[in-house]
Amino acid sequence: MTTTPVRTENTERTDLYPTRGPREVITPRQDPVVWSAPGDAGPVSPADLRGLERDGFLTVDELIGPDEVALYRAELDRLISDPKLRADERSVIEPKSQDVRSVFEVHRISELFAGLVRDERVAGRARQILGSEVYVHQSRINVKPGFGASGFYWHSDFETWHAEDGLPRMRTVSVSIALTENYDTNGGLMIMPGSHRSFLGCAGETPRDNYKRSLKMQDAGTPSHGALTRMADRHGIRLFTGRAGSATWFDCNCMHGSGDNITPYPRSNVFIVFNSVENAAVEPFAAPSPRPEFIGARDFTPVR
Ligand code: 6CS
Ligand code: FE
């Protein structure tokens, strides 16, 4: 097991997943994907758990019903048209169109989204996958309006959450719940199946206050073309489509991205990141300082 001692003040700690050094370095995954025992009860079937371990993702055709979708869509529309919130740093604005692109910390801003996070269909799955109590590391609504909303380039979320938010291990799972139809044309989520089993440590140090740029266009933590080509050749690329109300659960270390959306049809979703309370954030592993709490939570109170 290759580990890199990280010196902070006068203590030394082990960094299982070195990244943002002088060059790219690949480290085999040293954590399970599914942390619960096979027999542990929960909303996720054993077959789905095996799929998640193998591929790094699992899909649910209808996590929430049509009337719930309508409720959350209305809440999303309310949030993105609130001028106070638009001016808040938790809102990310599309560079070109000046539309709202994302609003962070929706589980704190909106009682409705807080309820969705607590819902057994959501938090129950996260607890079962992570084999422990869980807390929300990050939540956001992504509006991805039509007519030109930009996508997200290839990346591993864990690479950022490890480097900049200080999550020590891969015991974190995300769920993207579609609030509009995800066609194969309007900038859907793409994942390289199985890519979660290797950690790609990226080259290049983290600039100070990196989040001010990275939430619009990521730079630090971006894999090289060579690495992406080798991963795509080895794993392929899967595009996720689905009706509003469908959901994709994916491991924190999947290599994923999404394209621009130039169609007239928005691709809106609510994105919730659950972290195990056994994997609470510590000091960043490769950044001068931690990101603000609305992006990487420091309140580890379990979801109940
Ligand atoms: O940096 C982050 O935490 C966010 N950025 C992306 C592109 N995906 C994960 C997360 O929402
Ligand atoms: Fe991401």
Side-chain angles (χ1 to χ4, degrees), residues 38-107:
D40 288 359
V44 188
S45 71
D48 273 353
L49 288 176
R50 284 193 298 276
L52 177 59
E53 188 74 43
R54 183 191 58 237
D55 304 329
F57 56 79
L58 75 85
T59 58
V60 180
D61 289 342
E62 184 174 313
L63 186 66
I64 58 175
D67 37 5
E68 294 177 288
V69 168
L71 218 58
Y72 294 118
R73 278 284 302 280
E75 180 69 349
L76 178 144
D77 292 337
R78 181 183 76 81
L79 293 174
I80 65 172
S81 45
D82 175 350
K84 241 175 44 302
L85 191 52
R86 183 193 168 84
D88 189 297
E89 65 170 346
R90 286 174 290 190
S91 294
V92 180
I93 308 298
E94 279 288 349
K96 276 183 278 186
S97 64
Q98 291 298 304
D99 288 332
V100 174
R101 170 185 183 134
S102 303
V103 177
F104 278 87
E105 229 179 22
V106 284
H107 69 291

Side-chain angles (χ1 to χ4, degrees), residues 29-216:
R29 181 188 189 106
Q30 299 155 73
D31 293 297
V33 180
V34 176
W35 289 72
S36 56
D40 288 359
V44 188
S45 71
D48 273 353
L49 288 176
R50 284 193 298 276
L52 177 59
E53 188 74 43
R54 183 191 58 237
D55 304 329
F57 56 79
L58 75 85
T59 58
V60 180
D61 289 342
E62 184 174 313
L63 186 66
I64 58 175
D67 37 5
E68 294 177 288
V69 168
L71 218 58
Y72 294 118
R73 278 284 302 280
E75 180 69 349
L76 178 144
D77 292 337
R78 181 183 76 81
L79 293 174
I80 65 172
S81 45
D82 175 350
K84 241 175 44 302
L85 191 52
R86 183 193 168 84
D88 189 297
E89 65 170 346
R90 286 174 290 190
S91 294
V92 180
I93 308 298
E94 279 288 349
K96 276 183 278 186
S97 64
Q98 291 298 304
D99 288 332
V100 174
R101 170 185 183 134
S102 303
V103 177
F104 278 87
E105 229 179 22
V106 284
H107 69 291
R108 287 188 182 284
I109 295 171
S110 153
E111 195 33 52
L112 215 56
F113 281 115
L116 179 60
V117 164
R118 287 194 299 268
D119 189 301
E120 188 56 23
R121 292 169 292 177
V122 182
R125 281 182 164 80
R127 281 193 281 268
Q128 186 183 7
I129 292 166
L130 299 180
S132 72
E133 291 296 322
V134 297
Y135 72 93
V136 176
H137 173 68
Q138 180 185 111
S139 74
R140 61 196 282 192
I141 45 175
N142 292 309
V143 186
K144 205 151 193 184
F147 302 113
S150 38
F152 288 110
Y153 193 68
W154 294 106
H155 63 282
S156 151
D157 291 340
F158 179 75
E159 193 280 336
T160 293
W161 296 339
H162 182 69
E164 299 190 57
D165 298 344
L167 300 194
R169 306 200 66 144
M170 297 178 180
R171 193 169 180 177
T172 319
V173 67
S174 303
V175 60
S176 170
I177 305 173
L179 296 180
T180 57
E181 180 96 18
N182 285 357
Y183 300 104
D184 49 9
T185 52
N186 62 340
L189 172 66
M190 294 182 284
I191 296 179
M192 296 187 191
S195 59
H196 64 301
R197 286 198 295 273
S198 306
F199 176 73
L200 180 66
C202 298
E205 283 198 353
T206 310
R208 183 159 293 287
D209 284 346
N210 183 45
Y211 72 94
K212 290 182 176 162
R213 280 174 304 285
S214 66
L215 297 179
K216 290 191 196 293

Side-chain angles (χ1 to χ4, degrees), residues 214-227:
S214 66
L215 297 179
K216 290 191 196 293
M217 184 59 69
Q218 187 165 352
D219 186 12
T222 301
S224 68
H225 291 183

Side-chain angles (χ1 to χ4, degrees), residues 210-247:
N210 183 45
Y211 72 94
K212 290 182 176 162
R213 280 174 304 285
S214 66
L215 297 179
K216 290 191 196 293
M217 184 59 69
Q218 187 165 352
D219 186 12
T222 301
S224 68
H225 291 183
L228 287 172
T229 306
R230 282 187 296 278
M231 292 178 93
D233 288 348
R234 183 165 161 214
H235 299 293
I237 296 173
R238 161 107 183 249
L239 170 70
F240 289 84
T241 59
R243 307 193 57 69
S246 65

Side-chain angles (χ1 to χ4, degrees), residues 155 157 250 256 271:
H155 63 282
D157 291 340
F250 59 108
H256 69 288
F271 175 76

